[in-house]
Amino acid sequence: MRFKNTTILASSILLGAITTHAVAAEFKVPVSYEIMYVDLKDGGDFGSDFKVDLKPGHHQIVVRYHQGLRNSDSFNLFKSEPIIIDLDMKKDVNLELKAPYIRTDVKASNYADKPTFTIVNTKDGSKVDYKERILPFKSGFQPTRDYLEEIKTFTGVGVAAAANSAATYAPAPAPKSVTEANEFQMLQFWFNKSDEATRKDFRIWMVDNMHQPKAKNTQFEMLTFWFNKATPVERKAFQVWLVQ
């Protein structure tokens, strides 16, 4: 009788494990890519650099092209900027990022500048809808870049956190001497006159001053002009205003 109960218990545990695995979702990249972050946490915490198991729901996955090519007398490593992918994971699905495998240095260098890929459901081969953004390029040798903080700022998480922090800890809102300053009001004025594309370009430019807007216009030029004229306090107050 005891043996029978033990068998039932073991079967229940096994069934539960199978059920738990069944509702999980998997995201996989080829060996020419790496998973950097998942929901702003290190990708390695979820599995390997090439595959992660996730719960169903919305996820933000950061990947990048990362391929080494060995020639007869050299080894070259090619990397793209981090690519931020937003997608919805359904239960019990396996998603895979499909990208070309490149064998020459010239093609790898070009691909790293403009990586292209698709994401498919491996069970039926259907393409999956997703939103893709790439972190702005920064020139020069930067071995200690804090990609996670850059991603937070680029996606608005960092600015929102700063605004929440200000709302929590600041004893009072920005004083009138800041909100009534000509620079602060001109930033508001030109931001409100801008279209969505210009606003996005300007948000990126605040993080990376080397960013070149897709469409140059008066609104973008005036925003950068008044932002440069503003004091650090006025700039911070404006960034808080953006997320309110």
Side-chain angles (χ1 to χ4, degrees), residues 26-61:
E26 179 183 277
F27 181 84
K28 182 179 180 181
V29 299
V31 294
S32 57
Y33 272 73
E34 66 174 337
I35 298 172
M36 298 180 67
Y37 304 103
V38 179
D39 299 329
L40 297 178
K41 296 180 181 179
D42 192 292
D45 294 341
F46 292 79
S48 69
D49 290 337
F50 308 110
K51 183 176 69 174
V52 293
D53 293 324
L54 301 171
K55 295 180 180 179
H58 182 79
H59 293 282
Q60 182 188 89
I61 305 172

mmCIF file of all heavy atoms in Angstrom, residues 26-61:
data_model
loop_
_atom_site.group_PDB
_atom_site.id
_atom_site.type_symbol
_atom_site.label_atom_id
_atom_site.label_comp_id
_atom_site.label_asym_id
_atom_site.label_seq_id
_atom_site.Cartn_x
_atom_site.Cartn_y
_atom_site.Cartn_z
ATOM 1 N N GLU A 26 9.706 29.123 -25.446
ATOM 2 C CA GLU A 26 11.144 29.111 -25.692
ATOM 3 C C GLU A 26 11.487 30.115 -26.780
ATOM 4 O O GLU A 26 10.773 30.251 -27.775
ATOM 5 C CB GLU A 26 11.588 27.713 -26.120
ATOM 6 C CG GLU A 26 13.069 27.590 -26.432
ATOM 7 C CD GLU A 26 13.435 26.205 -26.930
ATOM 8 O OE1 GLU A 26 13.631 25.320 -26.071
ATOM 9 O OE2 GLU A 26 13.504 26.014 -28.163
ATOM 10 N N PHE A 27 12.589 30.844 -26.566
ATOM 11 C CA PHE A 27 13.101 31.779 -27.574
ATOM 12 C C PHE A 27 14.553 31.416 -27.850
ATOM 13 O O PHE A 27 15.357 31.295 -26.930
ATOM 14 C CB PHE A 27 13.007 33.223 -27.084
ATOM 15 C CG PHE A 27 13.494 34.234 -28.096
ATOM 16 C CD1 PHE A 27 12.657 34.688 -29.093
ATOM 17 C CD2 PHE A 27 14.801 34.717 -28.030
ATOM 18 C CE1 PHE A 27 13.116 35.610 -30.038
ATOM 19 C CE2 PHE A 27 15.258 35.640 -28.958
ATOM 20 C CZ PHE A 27 14.414 36.092 -29.960
ATOM 21 N N LYS A 28 14.882 31.266 -29.136
ATOM 22 C CA LYS A 28 16.212 30.768 -29.505
ATOM 23 C C LYS A 28 16.818 31.642 -30.597
ATOM 24 O O LYS A 28 16.110 32.156 -31.461
ATOM 25 C CB LYS A 28 16.080 29.318 -29.994
ATOM 26 C CG LYS A 28 17.391 28.639 -30.362
ATOM 27 C CD LYS A 28 17.120 27.211 -30.814
ATOM 28 C CE LYS A 28 18.415 26.495 -31.194
ATOM 29 N NZ LYS A 28 18.139 25.108 -31.660
ATOM 30 N N VAL A 29 18.133 31.816 -30.536
ATOM 31 C CA VAL A 29 18.856 32.547 -31.578
ATOM 32 C C VAL A 29 19.936 31.635 -32.157
ATOM 33 O O VAL A 29 20.375 30.683 -31.512
ATOM 34 C CB VAL A 29 19.501 33.836 -31.026
ATOM 35 C CG1 VAL A 29 18.445 34.778 -30.476
ATOM 36 C CG2 VAL A 29 20.544 33.522 -29.954
ATOM 37 N N PRO A 30 20.398 31.910 -33.375
ATOM 38 C CA PRO A 30 21.473 31.095 -33.964
ATOM 39 C C PRO A 30 22.812 31.406 -33.295
ATOM 40 O O PRO A 30 22.937 32.372 -32.540
ATOM 41 C CB PRO A 30 21.463 31.525 -35.431
ATOM 42 C CG PRO A 30 20.919 32.922 -35.413
ATOM 43 C CD PRO A 30 19.900 32.938 -34.307
ATOM 44 N N VAL A 31 23.826 30.600 -33.601
ATOM 45 C CA VAL A 31 25.130 30.769 -32.961
ATOM 46 C C VAL A 31 25.810 32.075 -33.378
ATOM 47 O O VAL A 31 26.773 32.507 -32.734
ATOM 48 C CB VAL A 31 26.054 29.580 -33.283
ATOM 49 C CG1 VAL A 31 25.515 28.309 -32.647
ATOM 50 C CG2 VAL A 31 26.220 29.416 -34.801
ATOM 51 N N SER A 32 25.339 32.719 -34.425
ATOM 52 C CA SER A 32 25.905 33.997 -34.844
ATOM 53 C C SER A 32 25.303 35.173 -34.080
ATOM 54 O O SER A 32 25.655 36.326 -34.335
ATOM 55 C CB SER A 32 25.697 34.205 -36.353
ATOM 56 O OG SER A 32 24.313 34.125 -36.680
ATOM 57 N N TYR A 33 24.406 34.879 -33.152
ATOM 58 C CA TYR A 33 23.787 35.896 -32.308
ATOM 59 C C TYR A 33 23.997 35.530 -30.839
ATOM 60 O O TYR A 33 24.386 34.410 -30.509
ATOM 61 C CB TYR A 33 22.286 35.998 -32.584
ATOM 62 C CG TYR A 33 21.919 36.958 -33.693
ATOM 63 C CD1 TYR A 33 22.165 36.634 -35.024
ATOM 64 C CD2 TYR A 33 21.327 38.181 -33.417
ATOM 65 C CE1 TYR A 33 21.826 37.508 -36.047
ATOM 66 C CE2 TYR A 33 20.981 39.063 -34.434
ATOM 67 C CZ TYR A 33 21.239 38.726 -35.740
ATOM 68 O OH TYR A 33 20.912 39.600 -36.740
ATOM 69 N N GLU A 34 23.711 36.484 -29.954
ATOM 70 C CA GLU A 34 23.701 36.205 -28.527
ATOM 71 C C GLU A 34 22.525 36.929 -27.884
ATOM 72 O O GLU A 34 22.083 37.972 -28.361
ATOM 73 C CB GLU A 34 25.003 36.645 -27.856
ATOM 74 C CG GLU A 34 25.236 38.152 -27.855
ATOM 75 C CD GLU A 34 26.471 38.542 -27.054
ATOM 76 O OE1 GLU A 34 26.875 37.756 -26.188
ATOM 77 O OE2 GLU A 34 27.000 39.648 -27.283
ATOM 78 N N ILE A 35 21.995 36.339 -26.810
ATOM 79 C CA ILE A 35 20.937 36.962 -26.031
ATOM 80 C C ILE A 35 21.603 37.735 -24.892
ATOM 81 O O ILE A 35 22.257 37.138 -24.038
ATOM 82 C CB ILE A 35 19.960 35.916 -25.479
ATOM 83 C CG1 ILE A 35 19.284 35.180 -26.629
ATOM 84 C CG2 ILE A 35 18.909 36.582 -24.584
ATOM 85 C CD1 ILE A 35 18.435 34.002 -26.186
ATOM 86 N N MET A 36 21.433 39.048 -24.886
ATOM 87 C CA MET A 36 22.100 39.891 -23.891
ATOM 88 C C MET A 36 21.249 40.066 -22.635
ATOM 89 O O MET A 36 21.709 39.866 -21.515
ATOM 90 C CB MET A 36 22.435 41.257 -24.492
ATOM 91 C CG MET A 36 23.388 41.212 -25.680
ATOM 92 S SD MET A 36 23.742 42.870 -26.352
ATOM 93 C CE MET A 36 24.667 43.596 -24.981
ATOM 94 N N TYR A 37 19.984 40.470 -22.845
ATOM 95 C CA TYR A 37 19.104 40.739 -21.709
ATOM 96 C C TYR A 37 17.693 40.237 -22.016
ATOM 97 O O TYR A 37 17.260 40.216 -23.163
ATOM 98 C CB TYR A 37 19.032 42.244 -21.401
ATOM 99 C CG TYR A 37 20.372 42.889 -21.160
ATOM 100 C CD1 TYR A 37 20.974 43.677 -22.143
ATOM 101 C CD2 TYR A 37 21.052 42.713 -19.955
ATOM 102 C CE1 TYR A 37 22.211 44.262 -21.938
ATOM 103 C CE2 TYR A 37 22.284 43.298 -19.736
ATOM 104 C CZ TYR A 37 22.852 44.070 -20.730
ATOM 105 O OH TYR A 37 24.082 44.641 -20.524
ATOM 106 N N VAL A 38 17.001 39.848 -20.956
ATOM 107 C CA VAL A 38 15.594 39.474 -21.045
ATOM 108 C C VAL A 38 14.856 40.232 -19.958
ATOM 109 O O VAL A 38 15.138 40.059 -18.765
ATOM 110 C CB VAL A 38 15.392 37.955 -20.860
ATOM 111 C CG1 VAL A 38 13.906 37.615 -20.926
ATOM 112 C CG2 VAL A 38 16.173 37.174 -21.902
ATOM 113 N N ASP A 39 13.940 41.111 -20.373
ATOM 114 C CA ASP A 39 13.195 41.938 -19.413
ATOM 115 C C ASP A 39 14.147 42.675 -18.476
ATOM 116 O O ASP A 39 13.963 42.711 -17.257
ATOM 117 C CB ASP A 39 12.207 41.081 -18.626
ATOM 118 C CG ASP A 39 11.183 40.421 -19.528
ATOM 119 O OD1 ASP A 39 10.847 41.032 -20.570
ATOM 120 O OD2 ASP A 39 10.740 39.312 -19.226
ATOM 121 N N LEU A 40 15.219 43.254 -19.070
ATOM 122 C CA LEU A 40 16.220 44.063 -18.366
ATOM 123 C C LEU A 40 17.026 43.261 -17.348
ATOM 124 O O LEU A 40 17.602 43.831 -16.424
ATOM 125 C CB LEU A 40 15.562 45.270 -17.689
ATOM 126 C CG LEU A 40 14.895 46.267 -18.652
ATOM 127 C CD1 LEU A 40 14.226 47.391 -17.872
ATOM 128 C CD2 LEU A 40 15.914 46.832 -19.639
ATOM 129 N N LYS A 41 17.096 41.959 -17.524
ATOM 130 C CA LYS A 41 17.954 41.111 -16.703
ATOM 131 C C LYS A 41 18.903 40.360 -17.621
ATOM 132 O O LYS A 41 18.575 40.102 -18.784
ATOM 133 C CB LYS A 41 17.118 40.123 -15.876
ATOM 134 C CG LYS A 41 16.210 40.798 -14.859
ATOM 135 C CD LYS A 41 15.423 39.765 -14.071
ATOM 136 C CE LYS A 41 14.497 40.437 -13.063
ATOM 137 N NZ LYS A 41 13.696 39.429 -12.290
ATOM 138 N N ASP A 42 20.065 40.006 -17.101
ATOM 139 C CA ASP A 42 21.061 39.312 -17.904
ATOM 140 C C ASP A 42 20.471 38.053 -18.521
ATOM 141 O O ASP A 42 19.841 37.250 -17.823
ATOM 142 C CB ASP A 42 22.274 38.954 -17.036
ATOM 143 C CG ASP A 42 23.449 38.488 -17.881
ATOM 144 O OD1 ASP A 42 23.341 37.405 -18.474
ATOM 145 O OD2 ASP A 42 24.459 39.207 -17.930
ATOM 146 N N GLY A 43 20.671 37.890 -19.832
ATOM 147 C CA GLY A 43 20.095 36.738 -20.519
ATOM 148 C C GLY A 43 20.563 35.414 -19.969
ATOM 149 O O GLY A 43 19.835 34.423 -19.996
ATOM 150 N N GLY A 44 21.801 35.370 -19.441
ATOM 151 C CA GLY A 44 22.323 34.135 -18.881
ATOM 152 C C GLY A 44 21.558 33.644 -17.673
ATOM 153 O O GLY A 44 21.611 32.457 -17.328
ATOM 154 N N ASP A 45 20.823 34.544 -17.012
ATOM 155 C CA ASP A 45 20.027 34.140 -15.858
ATOM 156 C C ASP A 45 18.844 33.273 -16.264
ATOM 157 O O ASP A 45 18.250 32.588 -15.430
ATOM 158 C CB ASP A 45 19.505 35.380 -15.114
ATOM 159 C CG ASP A 45 20.633 36.193 -14.489
ATOM 160 O OD1 ASP A 45 21.730 35.636 -14.307
ATOM 161 O OD2 ASP A 45 20.418 37.385 -14.198
ATOM 162 N N PHE A 46 18.481 33.288 -17.544
ATOM 163 C CA PHE A 46 17.312 32.547 -18.016
ATOM 164 C C PHE A 46 17.697 31.247 -18.717
ATOM 165 O O PHE A 46 16.860 30.438 -19.035
ATOM 166 C CB PHE A 46 16.510 33.419 -18.989
ATOM 167 C CG PHE A 46 15.856 34.602 -18.344
ATOM 168 C CD1 PHE A 46 16.576 35.747 -18.046
ATOM 169 C CD2 PHE A 46 14.509 34.572 -18.010
ATOM 170 C CE1 PHE A 46 15.971 36.842 -17.458
ATOM 171 C CE2 PHE A 46 13.899 35.661 -17.416
ATOM 172 C CZ PHE A 46 14.634 36.800 -17.130
ATOM 173 N N GLY A 47 18.967 31.072 -19.012
ATOM 174 C CA GLY A 47 19.398 29.875 -19.736
ATOM 175 C C GLY A 47 20.781 30.094 -20.298
ATOM 176 O O GLY A 47 21.677 30.559 -19.624
ATOM 177 N N SER A 48 20.957 29.801 -21.578
ATOM 178 C CA SER A 48 22.246 30.010 -22.238
ATOM 179 C C SER A 48 22.208 31.317 -23.011
ATOM 180 O O SER A 48 21.217 32.044 -22.994
ATOM 181 C CB SER A 48 22.526 28.853 -23.190
ATOM 182 O OG SER A 48 21.631 28.906 -24.298
ATOM 183 N N ASP A 49 23.306 31.604 -23.709
ATOM 184 C CA ASP A 49 23.344 32.797 -24.552
ATOM 185 C C ASP A 49 22.517 32.631 -25.819
ATOM 186 O O ASP A 49 22.295 33.592 -26.548
ATOM 187 C CB ASP A 49 24.788 33.130 -24.941
ATOM 188 C CG ASP A 49 25.602 33.631 -23.769
ATOM 189 O OD1 ASP A 49 25.005 34.132 -22.803
ATOM 190 O OD2 ASP A 49 26.835 33.510 -23.833
ATOM 191 N N PHE A 50 22.079 31.397 -26.097
ATOM 192 C CA PHE A 50 21.392 31.116 -27.354
ATOM 193 C C PHE A 50 19.937 30.688 -27.183
ATOM 194 O O PHE A 50 19.207 30.616 -28.163
ATOM 195 C CB PHE A 50 22.140 30.019 -28.123
ATOM 196 C CG PHE A 50 23.601 30.300 -28.303
ATOM 197 C CD1 PHE A 50 24.556 29.562 -27.630
ATOM 198 C CD2 PHE A 50 24.027 31.321 -29.131
ATOM 199 C CE1 PHE A 50 25.907 29.813 -27.785
ATOM 200 C CE2 PHE A 50 25.377 31.597 -29.302
ATOM 201 C CZ PHE A 50 26.325 30.850 -28.623
ATOM 202 N N LYS A 51 19.510 30.395 -25.962
ATOM 203 C CA LYS A 51 18.137 29.925 -25.765
ATOM 204 C C LYS A 51 17.667 30.279 -24.360
ATOM 205 O O LYS A 51 18.405 30.131 -23.393
ATOM 206 C CB LYS A 51 18.068 28.411 -25.969
ATOM 207 C CG LYS A 51 16.661 27.833 -25.857
ATOM 208 C CD LYS A 51 16.659 26.348 -26.164
ATOM 209 C CE LYS A 51 17.377 25.562 -25.085
ATOM 210 N NZ LYS A 51 17.257 24.095 -25.300
ATOM 211 N N VAL A 52 16.427 30.750 -24.268
ATOM 212 C CA VAL A 52 15.855 31.055 -22.959
ATOM 213 C C VAL A 52 14.443 30.493 -22.882
ATOM 214 O O VAL A 52 13.719 30.433 -23.884
ATOM 215 C CB VAL A 52 15.816 32.583 -22.680
ATOM 216 C CG1 VAL A 52 17.216 33.144 -22.537
ATOM 217 C CG2 VAL A 52 15.044 33.317 -23.772
ATOM 218 N N ASP A 53 14.058 30.037 -21.706
ATOM 219 C CA ASP A 53 12.693 29.581 -21.443
ATOM 220 C C ASP A 53 11.956 30.688 -20.709
ATOM 221 O O ASP A 53 12.442 31.208 -19.700
ATOM 222 C CB ASP A 53 12.702 28.305 -20.594
ATOM 223 C CG ASP A 53 13.298 27.124 -21.346
ATOM 224 O OD1 ASP A 53 13.067 27.035 -22.572
ATOM 225 O OD2 ASP A 53 14.001 26.312 -20.724
ATOM 226 N N LEU A 54 10.792 31.047 -21.209
ATOM 227 C CA LEU A 54 10.054 32.178 -20.671
ATOM 228 C C LEU A 54 8.604 31.810 -20.378
ATOM 229 O O LEU A 54 8.043 30.900 -20.992
ATOM 230 C CB LEU A 54 10.073 33.343 -21.669
ATOM 231 C CG LEU A 54 11.447 33.877 -22.068
ATOM 232 C CD1 LEU A 54 11.311 34.872 -23.205
ATOM 233 C CD2 LEU A 54 12.141 34.520 -20.879
ATOM 234 N N LYS A 55 8.010 32.542 -19.474
ATOM 235 C CA LYS A 55 6.587 32.387 -19.207
ATOM 236 C C LYS A 55 5.798 33.083 -20.308
ATOM 237 O O LYS A 55 6.276 34.042 -20.917
ATOM 238 C CB LYS A 55 6.237 32.989 -17.850
ATOM 239 C CG LYS A 55 6.864 32.278 -16.661
ATOM 240 C CD LYS A 55 6.445 32.948 -15.363
ATOM 241 C CE LYS A 55 7.060 32.237 -14.157
ATOM 242 N NZ LYS A 55 6.683 32.898 -12.879
ATOM 243 N N PRO A 56 4.581 32.617 -20.581
ATOM 244 C CA PRO A 56 3.755 33.298 -21.577
ATOM 245 C C PRO A 56 3.506 34.744 -21.165
ATOM 246 O O PRO A 56 3.444 35.078 -19.988
ATOM 247 C CB PRO A 56 2.455 32.485 -21.559
ATOM 248 C CG PRO A 56 2.853 31.143 -21.036
ATOM 249 C CD PRO A 56 3.934 31.404 -20.034
ATOM 250 N N GLY A 57 3.387 35.625 -22.152
ATOM 251 C CA GLY A 57 3.144 37.038 -21.882
ATOM 252 C C GLY A 57 4.086 37.914 -22.679
ATOM 253 O O GLY A 57 4.823 37.448 -23.559
ATOM 254 N N HIS A 58 4.075 39.195 -22.379
ATOM 255 C CA HIS A 58 4.914 40.151 -23.100
ATOM 256 C C HIS A 58 6.332 40.130 -22.549
ATOM 257 O O HIS A 58 6.540 40.104 -21.339
ATOM 258 C CB HIS A 58 4.346 41.565 -22.985
ATOM 259 C CG HIS A 58 5.141 42.583 -23.744
ATOM 260 N ND1 HIS A 58 5.026 42.745 -25.103
ATOM 261 C CD2 HIS A 58 6.087 43.473 -23.331
ATOM 262 C CE1 HIS A 58 5.851 43.698 -25.493
ATOM 263 N NE2 HIS A 58 6.508 44.152 -24.444
ATOM 264 N N HIS A 59 7.322 40.168 -23.442
ATOM 265 C CA HIS A 59 8.722 40.179 -23.032
ATOM 266 C C HIS A 59 9.521 41.134 -23.913
ATOM 267 O O HIS A 59 9.197 41.353 -25.089
ATOM 268 C CB HIS A 59 9.338 38.780 -23.136
ATOM 269 C CG HIS A 59 8.771 37.806 -22.154
ATOM 270 N ND1 HIS A 59 9.134 37.777 -20.822
ATOM 271 C CD2 HIS A 59 7.855 36.817 -22.311
ATOM 272 C CE1 HIS A 59 8.474 36.816 -20.205
ATOM 273 N NE2 HIS A 59 7.690 36.227 -21.083
ATOM 274 N N GLN A 60 10.567 41.685 -23.306
ATOM 275 C CA GLN A 60 11.542 42.487 -24.047
ATOM 276 C C GLN A 60 12.863 41.711 -24.046
ATOM 277 O O GLN A 60 13.426 41.434 -22.994
ATOM 278 C CB GLN A 60 11.745 43.854 -23.410
ATOM 279 C CG GLN A 60 12.715 44.738 -24.178
ATOM 280 C CD GLN A 60 13.037 46.021 -23.421
ATOM 281 O OE1 GLN A 60 13.959 46.082 -22.627
ATOM 282 N NE2 GLN A 60 12.234 47.058 -23.663
ATOM 283 N N ILE A 61 13.320 41.342 -25.222
ATOM 284 C CA ILE A 61 14.534 40.540 -25.364
ATOM 285 C C ILE A 61 15.555 41.347 -26.156
ATOM 286 O O ILE A 61 15.241 41.866 -27.234
ATOM 287 C CB ILE A 61 14.247 39.211 -26.079
ATOM 288 C CG1 ILE A 61 13.135 38.440 -25.348
ATOM 289 C CG2 ILE A 61 15.502 38.358 -26.162
ATOM 290 C CD1 ILE A 61 12.647 37.206 -26.075
#
